[in-house]
Amino acid sequence: MYVLKFGGSSVADSKCMLNVVDILRKRNNEKILLVLSACQGITNKLEQVSSEALNNNKENSKILCDEIRSLHLNIINYTLKNSRIKRNACYKVNTLCDELENLLVGVSLLKELIPQVMDRIYAFGECLSTNIFYYIALEHGLKIIWKDARNFIKTDSNFLSANILEQQTKEHCKELYKEFNNYDIIVTQGFIGSDEFGHTTTLGRGGSDLSAAVFGNAMSAECIEIWTDVNGVLSADPRLISEAKSIPVMRYTTVKEMAFWGAKVLHPKTILPAIKNNIPVKILNSFEPENQGTIIESELYSNSTSVHSIVVKQKCSMLSIAIDESSKYIEVLTSVIKYLSENDFHLLYSVYSNQSISLIVDGELNDVIIDNKTIYRSIVNAICIVGENFTNNIEEFSKITNSINYCLINNHSKLLGMHIISKHTILLIIDSSNINMLVKDIHQKLI
Ligand code: ASP
Ligand code: MG
């Protein structure tokens, strides 16, 4: 079986929903657990309407509730033709929206919005989108059943950001699996679960990727597919480099490294339950379903050298410290790190010897005064080159560094540091001059 998760932008309106139906229709004879997010923008609206209710702003609250209701009813009206199915779908949406409105009246009266209630409110978004989708799929002849994720995803009672109880979830998912005897597709909600008392919980904003991975793990899926609106993980930020292309296969740790350096990739933690159990995760584009996207594997058994992606972190601070007394370098290093952690600065990288210390910190720092000595900072850019096995093959590695050198010379860039962070990552520290051309050049040469 496969888990397919579609995010909010993939179920935003009637056209998107029909597109998902099309994708499913091409998956003949496969057993699919379909995990859907709320329609795009709805989770934010639920947050807004809750705070309007809390502040007893009846008019705004009413406007927002009406918007939520009509967005879903419009999808039904545009997509469903069969009058019986349409009636049932409208009834479901209206019932859910009435329930939501009642809950919001409660919030207004109590003048209190506790996390437990917020989670119940959040759940309406996913319940609405999955119910509508169920009826649309039904009308298109798919063998589908709707299931409430709260009966399967079991969590602790840490409302707004609950933790999965793996064993209980697995047990409940065994029951869910049995539905595949009668149905090809089970549609359920991302993001929501329930605690031991049956109270609705949520996994934190953006939590439906985690739901997909948890379901996939509990049901031993062959693969988890995260359908979104980009062609997988890209070789660079497309706003910076229009030629950025998708990376066909990559290791989980590479995704983590990219996320660490600020690439806009999915939150690596969310797919960890799948990766830990060697279930591959594919990132696919619902608006370009033919595109191969990216497969993320827990490990890749390859010795070849390749460059996957260039990630740029602009405006970091570099602290360079010369050590007067070489015996003191650990003391100095400890004081600086203590200062950074006390002031919530995020250390990205450090190199030191008993002669000098150099630290790269995320964001723009002021000069630092430690033990009455000023440590001057300079603003720099970090370029992170992530790939495979850079250090395995010295010939391949020198080709890469030669290309980098060529680009540096070509762009008159000042190199402040070049570090092999791991055999899969090279870090370049470049002075703060405009680096866009340099990055374009490196991308073109290496990818
Ligand atoms: N609907 C939720 C959110 O917008 C969860 C998700 O889509 O992942 O945060
Ligand atoms: Mg998301």
Side-chain angles (χ1 to χ4, degrees):
M1 60 84 65
Y2 295 84
V3 174
L4 272 64
K5 178 256 164 177
F6 288 84
S9 62
S10 302
V11 289
D13 54 27
S14 48
K15 211 171 135 212
C16 295
M17 291 243 182
L18 288 171
N19 183 40
V20 177
V21 171
D22 261 350
I23 292 172
L24 291 172
R25 285 219 287 211
K26 294 190 181 120
R27 310 286 291 250
N28 283 334
N29 301 324
E30 281 176 19
K31 298 294 181 193
I32 289 172
L33 181 88
L34 181 67
V35 176
L36 300 184
S37 289
C39 301
Q40 192 167 39
I42 291 298
T43 310
N44 288 345
K45 275 216 165 90
L46 289 167
E47 274 177 7
Q48 283 166 22
V49 78
S50 307
S51 88
E52 297 292 358
L54 181 64
N55 296 321
N56 207 14
N57 291 330
K58 290 203 177 71
E59 234 169 82
N60 291 354
S61 194
K62 178 87 185 99
I63 292 172
L64 285 161
C65 280
D66 287 349
E67 281 175 14
I68 293 172
R69 195 187 290 262
S70 56
L71 182 135
H72 293 95
L73 289 176
N74 280 341
I75 298 181
I76 293 175
N77 283 328
Y78 280 120
T79 35
L80 293 173
K81 307 274 177 295
N82 177 309
S83 60
R84 187 180 51 85
I85 296 181
K86 195 170 186 165
R87 206 172 43 243
N88 289 346
C90 287
Y91 179 77
K92 190 75 212 178
V93 166
N94 281 320
T95 310
L96 284 167
C97 288
D98 292 348
E99 255 179 63
L100 169 65
E101 285 182 20
N102 286 338
L103 198 55
L104 291 166
V105 170
V107 170
S108 294
L109 290 174
L110 290 169
K111 297 191 175 56
E112 189 178 48
L113 179 59
I114 57 172
Q116 184 176 337
V117 172
M118 190 61 227
D119 274 353
R120 279 183 64 191
I121 294 174
Y122 271 138
F124 283 96
E126 271 68 13
C127 286
L128 284 162
S129 66
T130 50
N131 266 294
I132 295 183
F133 185 82
Y134 165 72
Y135 287 109
I136 297 174
L138 208 59
E139 186 173 280
H140 283 83
L142 297 177
K143 280 173 80 183
I144 188 168
I145 184 169
W146 181 93
K147 285 282 167 182
D148 191 324
R150 287 169 286 198
N151 295 330
F152 308 102
I153 299 286
K154 289 301 183 183
T155 71
D156 62 11
S157 303
N158 194 12
F159 297 103
L160 302 180
S161 138
N163 303 293
I164 302 288
L165 303 176
E166 214 179 302
Q167 215 39 52
Q168 275 104 307
T169 299
K170 265 202 177 130
E171 287 302 318
H172 286 84
C173 282
K174 269 189 205 151
E175 286 304 307
L176 183 61
Y177 201 97
K178 291 183 187 153
E179 298 294 347
F180 284 133
N181 293 330
N182 299 314
Y183 300 93
D184 291 336
I185 303 168
I186 301 168
V187 58
T188 191
Q189 306 77 40
F191 183 47
I192 64 173
S194 73
D195 69 3
E196 59 172 322
F197 308 105
H199 298 139
T200 301
T201 54
T202 61
L203 309 179
R205 291 299 306 270
S208 45
D209 291 343
L210 177 60
S211 301
V214 169
F215 273 119
N217 178 31
M219 297 170 93
S220 302
E222 255 164 80
C223 179
I224 292 160
E225 302 178 8
I226 309 271
W227 288 80
T228 150
D229 50 12
V230 286
N231 289 330
V233 182
L234 300 182
S235 60
D237 183 342
R239 286 168 303 181
L240 212 61
I241 294 169
S242 50
E243 300 82 19
K245 44 189 171 198
S246 46
I247 306 165
V249 192
M250 63 195 303
R251 273 174 320 113
Y252 176 68
T253 39
T254 317
V255 180
K256 254 181 27 189
E257 191 81 63
M258 287 176 67
F260 178 82
W261 292 99
K264 300 257 174 304
V265 284
L266 88 172
H267 205 310
K269 246 169 75 183
T270 60
I271 59 166
L272 196 55
I275 294 299
K276 269 198 328 213
N277 291 287
N278 290 319
I279 301 172
V281 177
K282 270 194 201 174
I283 316 290
L284 296 157
N285 187 351
S286 20
F287 304 103
E288 228 184 291
E290 309 308 332
N291 191 292
Q292 60 177 359
T294 298
I295 304 178
I296 303 168
E297 302 266 9
S298 48
E299 258 317 316
L300 279 185
Y301 301 99
S302 134
N303 281 324
S304 58
T305 304
S306 60
V307 177
H308 283 330
S309 183
I310 319 278
V311 187
V312 185
K313 210 174 205 8
Q314 304 211 22
K315 297 215 170 97
C316 308
S317 306
M318 184 162 88
L319 298 173
S320 302
I321 310 157
I323 308 292
D324 312 332
E325 269 178 79
S326 62
S327 59
K328 287 242 169 101
Y329 82 101
I330 299 239
E331 248 170 73
V332 179
L333 184 62
T334 314
S335 322
V336 180
I337 289 182
K338 188 161 164 264
Y339 171 87
L340 293 176
S341 86
E342 279 171 2
N343 291 282
D344 274 338
F345 283 107
H346 182 46
L347 180 62
L348 294 170
Y349 191 70
S350 60
V351 267
Y352 56 87
S353 70
N354 63 1
Q355 303 291 313
S356 69
I357 298 172
S358 171
L359 303 166
I360 310 293
V361 178
D362 200 359
E364 286 186 64
L365 208 72
N366 290 324
D367 295 334
V368 179
I369 300 170
I370 288 169
D371 300 335
N372 297 322
K373 258 183 71 178
T374 306
I375 302 169
Y376 296 100
R377 66 94 177 100
S378 40
I379 299 298
V380 298
N381 297 300
I383 300 179
C384 191
I385 299 169
V386 287
E388 294 294 326
N389 306 315
F390 289 144
T391 51
N392 274 17
N393 179 331
I394 191 67
E395 273 162 35
E396 288 296 319
F397 182 66
S398 29
K399 268 193 213 155
I400 292 172
T401 47
N402 284 344
S403 299
I404 294 171
N405 287 339
Y406 173 87
C407 298
L408 289 168
I409 295 168
N410 214 16
N411 287 280
H412 308 286
S413 308
K414 194 164 150 206
L415 181 68
L416 303 170
M418 176 162 168
H419 312 281
I420 302 171
I421 300 187
S422 74
K423 66 177 185 173
H424 309 296
T425 313
I426 303 170
L427 178 67
L428 306 177
I429 306 298
I430 308 288
D431 79 349
S432 65
S433 59
N434 186 346
I435 59 156
N436 289 359
M437 279 316 291
L438 171 67
V439 177
K440 272 201 174 97
D441 249 11
I442 296 180
H443 186 272
Q444 200 196 6
K445 275 247 173 264
L446 295 184
I447 295 179

